[in-house]
Amino acid sequence: MATVINNLFSSRCSVCIALITPPGFCTKGSLQFSADRGRCMTCSLLWDALSEKLDLDNPVIERIDSIGGYGFFNLVAGSAKPRFTAGSLWDHVSVTLALDGEAHCPSTLNWLPILGKSPLSRTKGRDIKLIKDRIEDCRINHPKCPDFDDEELPTRVIDVGLGGQDPFLHVSRGKKGRYLALSHRWGDPNSSHKKLLTFQENLVAHCKRMPLAEFPKTFRDAIEVTRGLGIQYIWIDSICIVQNDTVDWEVEAGRMHSVYSNAFATIFADRATHSDDGLFQNEKDRGTPRSVRVIEYKDGDSDTTTRVLVQTHIDSGTANFATDASELFCQADQCESQLTGRGWILQEECLSRRRIHFTETELKWKCPTTANCDCGIATPPDMADPSINFTILESPHKGENQPWKTPTWLWQQLAEHYTSRSLTYETDRLVALAGIATKVARQRHDYLAGMWRNQLNTSILWKAAGALSRCHRTTEYVAPSWSWASVSGKIRFIPLSKETRFIWNIVDAKCYSAGQNGDFGKVKSAYLKVRSKVVHVRVEERPQNMRKGIAQELWDSGDATWKIRGDEVRYLTVMPAQPSLGVPPPLPTVLELDVQSDWDVLTSGSRVDFRVLCIALVDTFWEGYAAERALCLLLKRSPKEHDSWERVCYVFLKGTWKSWVPYVLDEELKIL
């Protein structure tokens, strides 16, 4: 709720005149007395601005200073003898003020900087005009951005009805045109919010007419944007794919790479929690408490309202380099996207030519040349943005000055990021990544359930990314056990040095696809035949000297290394299955399982064969001496197929490789 100040008495007095011509100061008491009961309108404004952040009844606050110049106006509340010597000057600033330039700006407040675009004055019309301006700027000034030529349309698109007629589903039949795509969150399928989907039963009707009133709000808003930009078509997944036709769904999912990469731009409904939540900023968004507060100043002379903006949280790192007041009031980072945590959205972010983000605070634009928010400030590159790595993976010459960004490193970064996101259906784990894989593939048959044939040496070494990843094995078959896609949850790849020596050999590797989208989609079955050094091992459960409370806390958080059994904390270890005469046993290696459910499988009491498969050797130190250690996989015999194995987890054998050599055999294994 905005604070309202009415001009009932004097607009200025000797107290505020000293402050509005910085540098100036006054005592807290004098400012409070002048502001009390509206004796001075300007003093009331300054007092209320400070009150938005501070408890001014605090006796520590005795004096108010103003700091200005270079287009800024700041207030500092502190002790009677302020010292601004430590740290940045901005570290001491309490609040900074500016006028909303899109509202009335009276001459009585001409001492405040004016923001050309206010983060709190967005309207539907302004958003559409801003997108038009960004598109025109891209067309004229961005020679490296994708061209504006028409592209082949997806199988079906929605004709938005530029002449004002109702939209309908258009079957393109190879026709070319310009279209937008919508990236949105569907929401809970069991919730009551309005939805619109195409099924076999309503496909013909949708191709004839789809009354605009039947569209949920997010879709209606997207159609309004499309019409406002003069673009005839938009692609929305829930409408353009027949949802209860498995063949159609699989075929269209396999074409997702071209849908987003050929779209003129993609609209991202970041603020919407579901399809009926809307694109545009609403009153709830504007009323959500944020660092920028609003004071409504009513000028008695004209009886109009002025919006004074108060920034209560100033990041000194940003402020030190600010050249304009608008940079301190930018709200681009003051919002939470409903999309970035979703697995399907990754390929939509990476593949889109141009991105238009409708957030609850600002409208954001991103194209290959520039990125900015609706207040016009350039957004610095987000090094965590996965589309940066995808761009280099797709066009290696763009990473020439970053030699560490090899294809293997780039793909692993994308996979790690992808696994941190959620999917409604875990069977989509490979399908939702298929668009990216298709775009960067050199040879289709080199893709093996989320991994690449020429990268298996390093990509085979992965593990759950700590306790909070809460990995679990997929209920239905999604990928072979040696692929990271066989578990749901965040994984990480084991970092390796250039000196890592791989001692295994891949004899054969094959994936058999299921469905209609080929090698990059669902997998029916797969295997990996390898020859390497192998140790026959047994899994033992041993007591651990650890407080039960700590072990239980770790287990509850998702960790699978320790478990409470009765009154003891236990851990799992691997040891050679049979002793070697005259040779001391190696040190027991603690197992760090990927999933908690494996604990009971490994200790069920039924006779299970285990193997430790050595992948590589690394140079390290052991007890103060240089030594080789082994990077391995723990395998268990598979019940699915005779004489085959399944991956259990990654193992870094404890002790030197030399201590394990007496137990090593050369074997060829088939891993499912």
Side-chain angles (χ1 to χ4, degrees), residues 181-186 235-238 241 253 256-263 265-270 338-340 342-357 366 385-387 390 414 418 421 423 431-436:
L182 176 65
S183 177
H184 67 103
R185 186 170 180 176
W186 287 41
W235 187 89
I236 301 175
D237 51 5
S238 65
I241 299 175
M256 209 69 76
H257 66 285
S258 62
V259 169
Y260 286 98
S261 60
N262 287 341
T266 301
I267 295 170
F268 287 82
D270 287 271
Q338 300 295 327
L339 299 178
T340 53
R342 310 296 296 173
W344 276 100
I345 304 300
L346 176 63
Q347 64 179 4
E348 297 163 16
E349 293 170 346
C350 291
L351 297 172
S352 297
R353 294 180 171 195
R354 302 171 183 87
R355 290 157 54 174
I356 305 164
H357 291 265
K366 184 173 184 180
D385 184 349
S387 65
F390 170 77
L414 279 170
Y418 173 69
R421 299 187 176 207
L423 291 165
V431 182
L433 193 64
I436 291 177

Side-chain angles (χ1 to χ4, degrees), residues 122 127 130-131 356-358 362-365 372-374:
R122 282 177 57 191
D127 280 358
L130 183 66
I131 298 169
I356 305 164
H357 291 265
F358 284 83
E362 300 212 23
L363 181 73
K364 299 180 185 178
W365 165 274
N372 49 39
C373 54
D374 80 73

Side-chain angles (χ1 to χ4, degrees), residues 605-626:
S606 58
R607 191 177 183 281
V608 181
D609 288 337
F610 297 101
R611 301 285 188 270
V612 165
L613 172 69
C614 184
I615 305 295
L617 300 176
V618 294
D619 291 325
T620 182
F621 287 89
W622 184 257
E623 296 183 344
Y625 296 94

Side-chain angles (χ1 to χ4, degrees), residues 334-623:
Q334 297 283 310
C335 58
E336 179 182 353
S337 173
Q338 300 295 327
L339 299 178
T340 53
R342 310 296 296 173
W344 276 100
I345 304 300
L346 176 63
Q347 64 179 4
E348 297 163 16
E349 293 170 346
C350 291
L351 297 172
S352 297
R353 294 180 171 195
R354 302 171 183 87
R355 290 157 54 174
I356 305 164
H357 291 265
F358 284 83
T359 78
E360 57 191 8
T361 56
E362 300 212 23
L363 181 73
K364 299 180 185 178
W365 165 274
K366 184 173 184 180
C367 65
T369 301
T370 189
N372 49 39
C373 54
D374 80 73
C375 55
I377 298 173
T379 306
D382 178 3
M383 302 316 294
D385 184 349
S387 65
I388 295 175
N389 286 332
F390 170 77
T391 299
I392 299 173
L393 192 59
E394 185 184 24
S395 306
H397 68 276
K398 295 182 179 179
E400 290 175 349
N401 61 341
Q402 303 173 74
W404 69 90
K405 291 192 173 183
T406 63
T408 298
W409 185 90
L410 290 165
W411 182 259
Q412 289 182 356
Q413 291 292 303
L414 279 170
E416 287 183 3
H417 183 96
Y418 173 69
T419 61
S420 69
R421 299 187 176 207
S422 61
L423 291 165
T424 302
Y425 304 103
E426 62 184 16
T427 51
D428 291 345
R429 197 149 168 84
L430 288 173
V431 182
L433 193 64
I436 291 177
T438 303
K439 203 69 175 174
V440 302
R442 301 294 180 261
Q443 297 290 330
R444 292 184 65 88
H445 298 297
D446 285 343
Y447 188 66
L448 303 167
M451 304 160 84
W452 300 96
R453 190 181 302 272
N454 63 350
Q455 298 174 10
L456 281 175
N457 269 353
T458 53
S459 295
I460 202 74
L461 297 171
W462 57 269
K463 62 180 295 186
L468 296 180
S469 63
R470 293 189 177 275
C471 283
H472 65 272
R473 301 207 178 277
T474 57
T475 306
E476 298 181 45
Y477 183 87
V478 173
S481 64
W482 39 269
S483 167
W484 53 263
S486 64
V487 299
S488 285
K490 181 172 174 56
I491 63 97
R492 68 176 179 87
F493 293 93
I494 307 303
L496 303 172
S497 70
K498 292 181 179 179
E499 288 71 35
T500 301
R501 295 177 296 285
F502 294 95
I503 63 174
W504 74 327
N505 291 303
I506 301 170
V507 178
D508 192 16
K510 284 189 178 177
C511 270
Y512 298 96
S513 60
Q516 303 294 317
N517 47 11
D519 301 312
F520 303 106
K522 290 184 177 180
V523 171
K524 180 170 58 178
S525 63
Y527 69 82
L528 187 62
K529 283 185 180 178
V530 301
R531 175 168 287 279
S532 187
K533 307 295 183 183
V534 174
V535 181
H536 294 216
V537 296
R538 66 180 186 274
V539 175
E540 297 180 359
E541 188 177 303
R542 297 187 177 188
Q544 171 71 42
N545 184 20
M546 176 187 285
R547 290 174 55 189
K548 288 174 62 178
I550 295 175
Q552 189 63 54
E553 185 177 338
L554 289 169
W555 182 268
D556 291 343
S557 71
D559 189 277
T561 308
W562 297 277
K563 185 175 184 178
I564 296 176
R565 298 278 205 185
D567 293 329
E568 287 187 321
V569 176
R570 313 282 284 185
Y571 71 94
L572 297 179
T573 183
V574 289
M575 292 293 290
Q578 298 295 332
S580 182
L581 293 176
V583 178
L587 295 170
T589 299
V590 177
L591 292 182
E592 297 179 7
L593 301 179
D594 296 322
V595 300
Q596 292 181 336
S597 60
D598 279 354
W599 188 290
D600 292 330
V601 173
L602 299 181
T603 60
S604 62
S606 58
R607 191 177 183 281
V608 181
D609 288 337
F610 297 101
R611 301 285 188 270
V612 165
L613 172 69
C614 184
I615 305 295
L617 300 176
V618 294
D619 291 325
T620 182
F621 287 89
W622 184 257
E623 296 183 344

